[in-house]
Amino acid sequence: MKQLTIIKIGGNVIDNSQNLHQFLLDFTALPGDKILVHGGGKIATELGESLGIEAKMVDGRRITDIETLRIVTMVYAGLINKNMVAQLQAKGNNAIGLTGADGNIIKAKKRPVKEIDYGFVGDLDENSISSTTLDSLLKAGLTPVLCAITHDGDTQLLNTNADTIASAVAVAMSSLYKTRLVYCFEKKGVLKDVNDDATVVREIKSSEFEGLKADGTVAGGMIPKLHNAFEAINKGVAAVYIGKADELGELESGSFGTKMLK
């Protein structure tokens, strides 16, 4: 099987033009087929505020009312996505920027209202990703750049978590490729001491996860990140990495972030 690398980046890269430039150079230099998944960073919030639309958050999750949906669609699918594609083209990477609606690549379901109404937020299931369409783009020599906008198949666009999209794409493509999933965030990886970047845990096996939670090595926001990583591995993804975007160039040498293995 050919190797496929799926990389997710967030605001810590997108919001800094110098960081983004270096990341896209390192991304382009990676061997083999690649898919890039991105969120939106601060730009959507800033644009909304300039238009008098205040961001509404609950436990770090954005409430997406109709006005907010218009903002995030403009920013994620337009400004950020096309800027990134243009930069990749300049670096010799023939990228194509897409929402989930394009080619019916990602079909989501509007999140049902329970205790909280998240608005126009899309959830994914095992049938959400069109792996055949993504495969055809890769075979045509294109690099898909997926933003966090999906659709429900009945005209409605939806805002969907980019981490979730990256994981779902990796799982769906694992039947066609040897897939590895890379989450780039602000830390160097899983740290034994959160205040010391020199304490990166280089490898974690699924059997070690519970012990690391118990002794406090994995805590707070890292728990759901690793839970999602091991869930992806259990569904066929070969390996999942968590590390810092500006160190992506070290992925091939084995010294990038933390690697999660079955």
Side-chain angles (χ1 to χ4, degrees):
M1 287 177 116
K2 287 181 70 178
Q3 180 170 275
L4 172 65
T5 305
I6 296 152
I7 300 183
K8 186 267 173 179
I9 57 169
N12 60 312
V13 180
I14 294 166
D15 294 335
N16 184 307
S17 59
Q18 189 172 344
N19 288 354
L20 181 60
H21 169 72
Q22 185 58 53
F23 167 81
L24 293 175
L25 280 174
D26 293 337
F27 175 79
T28 297
L30 287 174
D33 292 317
K34 299 176 283 285
I35 296 174
L36 180 59
V37 181
H38 67 85
K42 298 175 185 174
I43 301 171
T45 300
E46 290 171 353
L47 178 59
E49 287 175 353
S50 73
L51 297 172
I53 301 165
E54 189 175 344
K56 304 179 189 74
M57 310 291 283
V58 176
D59 296 331
R61 297 188 181 196
R62 189 186 294 271
I63 302 294
T64 308
D65 58 20
I66 191 62
E67 294 298 330
T68 301
L69 181 66
R70 290 171 180 158
I71 295 291
V72 297
T73 301
M74 285 190 286
V75 173
Y76 298 177
L79 181 63
I80 292 174
N81 188 271
K82 300 314 170 190
N83 174 57
M84 223 175 287
V85 168
Q87 288 197 51
L88 285 167
Q89 295 293 356
K91 294 169 176 56
N93 190 325
N94 194 11
I96 180 168
L98 302 161
T99 70
D102 297 298
N104 197 29
I105 285 173
I106 310 171
K107 190 174 175 182
K109 294 177 181 176
K110 186 175 180 292
R111 183 171 298 168
V113 177
K114 294 181 180 176
E115 294 83 14
I116 299 166
D117 182 359
Y118 284 99
F120 295 96
V121 167
D123 290 328
L124 308 182
D125 60 31
E126 65 276 7
N127 300 312
S128 291
I129 309 298
S130 176
S131 56
T132 54
T133 303
L134 285 170
D135 184 41
S136 67
L137 292 171
L138 292 168
K139 284 178 176 172
L142 296 165
T143 298
V145 180
L146 305 174
C147 72
I149 301 297
T150 60
H151 78 130
D152 70 353
D154 191 27
T155 77
Q156 184 61 60
L157 293 173
L158 297 166
N159 183 15
T160 298
N161 182 274
D163 282 357
T164 304
I165 289 174
S167 179
V169 169
V171 169
M173 299 303 287
S174 65
S175 62
L176 303 172
Y177 295 80
K178 182 180 179 182
T179 59
R180 57 181 179 175
L181 172 61
V182 182
Y183 287 112
C184 291
F185 77 138
E186 66 277 6
K187 297 286 187 182
K188 286 180 173 283
V190 177
L191 306 176
K192 290 180 180 176
D193 178 351
V194 292
N195 299 311
D196 186 355
D197 283 344
T199 63
V200 176
V201 180
R202 287 298 175 193
E203 284 191 359
I204 301 174
K205 293 181 180 177
S206 57
S207 59
E208 300 169 328
F209 184 35
E210 291 301 323
L212 291 171
K213 281 197 295 183
D215 68 16
T217 299
V218 177
M222 287 304 297
I223 292 175
K225 283 184 186 296
L226 265 64
H227 175 78
N228 291 337
F230 286 119
E231 191 170 294
I233 288 169
N234 289 333
K235 291 179 178 177
V237 176
V240 180
Y241 298 78
I242 295 178
K244 205 167 186 176
D246 61 10
E247 296 183 347
L248 183 64
E250 299 173 14
L251 184 63
E252 296 307 308
S253 68
S255 54
F256 172 84
T258 301
K259 181 179 183 181
M260 268 66 68
L261 294 162
K262 194 164 188 177

